[in-house]
Amino acid sequence: KSSPQATRDFIRDKIQAARILIESIEQRRNTLVKIARTIVENQREFLDKGVLQLKPLQMQEVAKQIGIHVSTVSRAVAKKYLETPQGIFPMKYFFTGGIASGGDSVASTRSVKAVIKEMLDSEDRHNPLSDQEIVERLRGQGLDIARRTVTKYRKSLGVLSSRQRRAY
């Protein structure tokens, strides 16, 4: 038979454990909200205009802005989604590298891929664009990009080379 004091101690311990759990859940929620707000602040043009306006953003930048460790950002956004006017995206989608584009601005990898895809979708099938021609067009738009990078992006989009795309 347990004593009333042992019962009280048991209940006190369980209440304390529950409080710690609730505080941990609340801290996780607050961290996720801060990360989401920072993403929204940094990607406002994407939210308003679409993927071509996606800016490069690294987890390190977000971690620094909200004062937490980068690994905390990485764990917090894993398997989490953000509903936007452009659709629902995994939170990791918003973290992307970039390519220099005219002056001090930088275009995100995803937006450059979207521009390349747009070019390839509208090309003449009898005279498809070579990777070098894509580079020249992108440079005309102020994007400084290497041919091998265009090749890598084209392949990642699942698009064949110009020779293989040619329609006779």
Side-chain angles (χ1 to χ4, degrees):
K1 199 172 182 182
S2 65
S3 71
Q5 185 58 42
T7 304
R8 276 198 226 39
D9 291 345
F10 175 80
I11 291 171
R12 188 179 324 109
D13 289 347
K14 296 304 173 192
I15 289 173
Q16 182 62 25
R19 282 188 182 129
I20 291 170
L21 178 63
I22 290 167
E23 288 171 11
S24 296
I25 292 169
E26 185 63 19
Q27 184 177 3
R28 181 176 290 182
R29 188 190 72 77
N30 288 336
T31 299
L32 202 52
V33 167
K34 286 178 187 175
I35 293 169
R37 281 191 179 131
T38 305
I39 290 171
V40 168
E41 289 168 8
N42 284 284
Q43 300 294 0
R44 175 58 55 200
E45 287 190 45
F46 162 80
L47 299 171
D48 295 339
K49 300 175 185 170
V51 72
L52 295 178
Q53 300 303 316
L54 190 65
K55 291 188 175 110
L57 181 64
Q58 295 186 342
M59 287 187 188
Q60 294 89 333
E61 291 175 53
V62 172
K64 187 176 178 184
Q65 286 179 25
I66 61 178
I68 60 175
H69 196 273
V70 68
S71 65
T72 305
V73 174
S74 180
R75 284 192 314 271
V77 302
K79 299 179 185 171
K80 305 291 185 317
Y81 294 82
L82 200 58
E83 184 176 4
T84 74
Q86 304 301 326
I88 298 173
F89 296 91
M91 288 181 86
K92 285 193 175 197
Y93 177 86
F94 297 97
F95 297 104
T96 176
I99 292 173
S101 70
D104 293 337
S105 66
V106 179
S108 81
T109 303
R110 283 197 178 87
S111 65
V112 173
K113 283 183 182 182
V115 170
I116 291 171
K117 178 106 174 85
E118 210 171 82
M119 281 183 195
L120 295 173
D121 288 346
S122 63
E123 73 183 352
D124 174 7
R125 296 289 174 217
H126 297 290
N127 189 19
L129 297 169
S130 69
D131 291 345
Q132 187 58 43
E133 289 170 324
I134 293 169
V135 166
E136 290 163 11
R137 286 188 179 190
L138 289 171
R139 286 194 178 141
Q141 296 178 19
L143 291 168
D144 185 24
I145 188 168
R147 186 206 45 79
R148 68 181 176 276
T149 305
V150 168
T151 302
K152 181 173 91 174
Y153 289 178
R154 177 183 50 75
K155 287 179 178 178
S156 77
L157 292 167
V159 177
L160 300 172
S161 70
S162 58
R163 286 188 186 138
Q164 294 170 312
R165 293 192 317 270
R166 185 177 311 276
Y168 295 96

